[in-house]
Amino acid sequence: MVVPCLLVLSYAFFQRGVWGGVEYTFTLENFARVVDPLYAKIFLNSARIALTATVVAILIAYPAAYAISRAPRMTQPILLFFAVLPFWSNYLIRTYAWIVLLNREGLINNLLRTLGYTGEPLSMLYTESAVIIGLVYNYLPFVILAIYSTLSRLNPELMEASRDLGAGPVRTFLRVTLPLTLPGVAAGGVFVFVLSIGNFVTPALLGGGRFQMVGNLVYDQFLTANDWPFGAALGAALILTMIVLLLLQARATAHASGERKAEAER
């Protein structure tokens, strides 16, 4: 797997051939084009959409993971099974299912008509919201599992001690539970962001090509524009962004683990 990636990335240092493909003449021009305002805007727009999907996924996943971790121990595997059940179907099928739900003649608009709505059908498909919904739905189980893993390892005696000291449920959650589970939140959040910013299937299907993200741009350079060196440079910038985020998440997790260990030794 490493060799094909390195081979593709090496194309970033060469020029585009006259008829497309690769001309093996060294250049850094492809990386200079990556920071061109036109493409930088696509990067920033992709980051904004990915960040929105990440925040929404965390806001949905945390209560779900919290409820699962507080369920009877015998019930938790069943609830986790239903949380990851969407993974048992193909990614494309899950995305196409949202087309059925969101289009003007889809299930949601039909349900609204059944409930008495008489206005124009809602245009939900091929919007930025549809792209975010698709990203959140497809990556939500990752966040639930990441947060659940930290919640399930949480020492219940810490919450009991907080309550014994007079803290209410809300204060106990904000001062004890939430800080100790932030590594899981960070892990899940980085996972969603990294996968979302490079995604090209969901924007193409649910965005109808109206919202170009970095993944779509890389796809177009390789398969449409036939500019492999520039596509490789865009891919290298995307991979570098992902590596930086993963390193920051690993550093934050190590820092949080160190703090917990220091508190335990006191």
Side-chain angles (χ1 to χ4, degrees):
M1 185 177 70
V2 175
V3 174
C5 289
L6 291 176
L7 179 63
V8 171
L9 291 178
S10 67
Y11 290 162
F13 296 94
F14 300 113
Q15 293 181 351
R16 178 181 184 272
V18 177
W19 307 106
V22 182
E23 182 179 310
Y24 294 96
T25 304
F26 181 81
T27 180
L28 295 176
E29 182 185 352
N30 298 307
F31 292 100
R33 290 176 63 192
V34 171
V35 296
D36 182 274
L38 174 65
Y39 302 113
K41 184 179 179 181
I42 295 176
F43 257 98
L44 292 176
N45 190 51
S46 302
R48 180 179 58 78
I49 292 175
L51 182 61
T52 305
T54 302
V55 172
V56 174
I58 290 173
L59 291 177
I60 297 173
Y62 201 102
Y66 189 87
I68 294 173
S69 68
R70 291 296 176 269
R73 191 162 293 277
M74 294 289 290
T75 312
Q76 291 182 18
I78 300 173
L79 296 175
L80 287 173
F81 167 78
F82 283 109
V84 301
L85 188 60
F87 280 170
W88 290 30
S89 61
N90 184 275
Y91 184 94
L92 282 175
I93 293 175
R94 299 200 301 269
T95 305
Y96 275 116
W98 278 105
I99 295 178
V100 175
L101 288 170
L102 297 177
N103 72 69
R104 292 172 67 86
E105 299 299 326
L107 295 179
I108 294 178
N109 274 311
N110 287 334
L111 178 62
L112 291 175
R113 290 194 196 97
T114 304
L115 295 175
Y117 177 74
T118 57
E120 286 290 318
L122 300 180
S123 298
M124 296 174 284
L125 191 60
Y126 305 140
T127 63
E128 184 176 304
S129 297
V131 175
I132 292 172
I133 289 172
L135 293 173
V136 170
Y137 176 74
N138 281 307
Y139 299 135
L140 186 62
F142 290 119
V143 195
I144 292 177
L145 291 177
I147 298 175
Y148 171 79
S149 68
T150 55
L151 282 168
S152 61
R153 293 199 305 267
L154 208 58
N155 187 350
E157 293 179 355
L158 295 174
M159 277 77 79
E160 292 178 8
S162 176
R163 287 193 291 270
D164 291 343
L165 293 173
V170 176
R171 191 172 186 183
T172 297
F173 174 78
L174 294 177
R175 300 293 297 272
V176 179
T177 306
L178 183 60
L180 291 176
T181 54
L182 282 181
V185 175
V190 168
F191 208 87
V192 175
F193 185 86
V194 165
L195 292 178
S196 296
I197 195 172
N199 193 296
F200 65 93
V201 175
T202 302
L205 295 180
L206 298 183
R210 299 179 182 177
F211 304 95
Q212 191 172 42
M213 295 179 67
V214 182
N216 304 98
L217 188 59
V218 174
Y219 178 91
D220 291 341
Q221 295 304 317
F222 274 99
L223 298 182
T224 304
N226 207 17
D227 192 348
W228 291 13
F230 184 48
L234 288 168
L238 193 58
I239 291 173
L240 180 63
T241 302
M242 294 176 179
I243 290 174
V244 169
L245 288 173
L246 291 173
L247 289 176
L248 289 174
Q249 184 267 325
R251 185 179 177 84
T253 301
H255 180 69
S257 299
E259 284 189 345
R260 285 202 302 271
K261 187 176 180 180
E263 288 179 357
E265 292 174 349
R266 289 174 187 170

